[in-house]
């Protein structure tokens, strides 16, 4: 059982993180303010990740996905997975919270985001030259969203890079990683 004080403190941290993410989705008044928001967001997210539950990881992913284009530069490391050591049994695969969590996070990343446009309604992107080699996701009309509200390829790739498929398959199949396999093979001889 988790102590009530601990739950209350993590709830307060989540509230602060939500407020800071709200500011990330707004027009920033100046660069100093933006850097302060980034610094506080890093501090609070690192505090939350030390004691995070599976729901906290989903909480962070949902906030990241609702940020303007370019969050991959400062926020992709907020998405982390905790892998527990388990022993093989059919029951540990079927209904495994870790496997279910991985699937849920992956589906959250791949499915369209609900009300993302509303959350970014007050966002004004900084004026900058676009890279002609950069890929963008097209909307249903085949047009590129140039207002900084559409997630770009690098945002998706950075988040996908945080998904450790090797550990996922190890957890799903209860099979050792190649490093563990060869380590154990040499220790037997």
């Amino acid at each position: 059982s988790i102590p009530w004080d601990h739950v209350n403190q993590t709830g307060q941290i989540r509230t602060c993180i939500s407020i800071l993410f709200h500011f990330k989705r707004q027009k920033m008044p100046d660069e100093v303010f933006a850097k302060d928001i980034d610094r506080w967001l890093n501090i609070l997210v690192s505090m939350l990740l030390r004691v995070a539950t599976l729901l906290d990881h989903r909480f962070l992913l949902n906030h990241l996905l609702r940020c303007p284009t370019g969050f991959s530069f400062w926020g992709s490391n907020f998405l982390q997975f905790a892998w527990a050591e388990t022993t093989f049994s059919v029951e540990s695969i079927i209904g495994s919270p870790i496997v279910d969590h991985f699937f849920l996070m992956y589906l959250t990343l791949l499915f369209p985001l609900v009300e993302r446009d509303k959350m970014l309604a007050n966002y004004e992107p900084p004026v900058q030259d676009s890279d002609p080699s950069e890929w963008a996701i097209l909307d249903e009309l085949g047009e590129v969203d140039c207002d900084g509200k559409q997630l770009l390829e690098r945002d998706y790739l950075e988040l996908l890079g945080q998904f450790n498929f090797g550990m996922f398959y190890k957890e799903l199949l209860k099979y050792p990683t190649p490093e563990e396999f060869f380590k154990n093979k040499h220790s037997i001889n």
Side-chain angles (χ1 to χ4, degrees):
S1 163
I2 301 172
W4 179 250
D5 188 46
H6 173 75
V7 172
N8 189 29
Q9 289 174 354
T10 56
Q12 290 174 350
I13 291 172
R14 281 192 300 274
T15 301
C16 293
I17 289 171
S18 291
I19 292 167
L20 292 172
F21 270 114
H22 173 75
F23 281 113
K24 292 295 285 182
R25 293 187 285 266
Q26 306 296 318
K27 180 181 180 184
M28 292 289 177
D30 59 37
E31 193 173 318
V32 173
F33 182 71
K35 287 182 181 181
D36 286 342
I37 294 291
D38 289 343
R39 185 173 52 85
W40 276 106
L41 202 50
N42 278 317
I43 291 169
L44 290 172
V45 167
S46 68
M47 287 172 60
L48 182 63
L49 286 175
R50 288 186 194 132
V51 295
T53 64
L54 298 179
L55 290 174
D56 292 329
H57 292 280
R58 202 166 99 209
F59 164 81
L60 291 171
L61 176 62
N62 279 308
H63 269 301
L64 284 171
L65 290 174
R66 284 160 179 80
C67 282
T69 298
F71 67 81
S72 59
F73 291 116
W74 56 267
S76 62
N77 62 337
F78 292 172
L79 182 62
Q80 297 179 11
F81 290 94
W83 297 99
E85 292 297 321
T86 57
T87 57
F88 176 77
S89 71
V90 174
E91 293 81 19
S92 67
I93 296 173
I94 299 171
S96 166
I98 299 294
V99 172
D100 291 346
H101 173 68
F102 191 91
F103 272 125
L104 181 63
M105 296 285 280
Y106 190 63
L107 290 174
T108 302
L109 179 63
L110 297 180
F111 275 86
L113 300 169
V114 177
E115 297 187 1
R116 186 170 190 275
D117 293 337
K118 287 182 184 177
M119 294 189 106
L120 292 172
N122 295 328
Y123 175 72
E124 292 182 25
V127 179
Q128 57 184 340
D129 296 332
S130 62
D131 183 3
S133 66
E134 182 69 47
W135 290 34
I137 307 297
L138 301 179
D139 63 11
E140 60 273 358
L141 301 175
E143 298 177 0
V144 176
D145 183 11
C146 296
D147 62 0
K149 296 179 182 176
Q150 184 68 33
L151 294 178
L152 298 177
E153 178 191 25
R154 80 170 158 254
D155 296 323
Y156 282 110
L157 290 176
E158 286 293 323
L159 287 178
L160 276 173
Q162 297 297 100
F163 284 77
N164 188 338
F165 285 95
M167 289 299 293
F168 169 70
Y169 286 119
K170 177 185 174 196
E171 179 72 24
L172 183 64
L173 302 173
K174 302 301 179 196
Y175 197 78
T177 62
E179 294 84 16
E180 292 171 335
F181 178 76
F182 288 116
K183 179 181 175 185
N184 290 338
K185 184 178 178 183
H186 292 299
S187 64
I188 294 172
N189 292 337

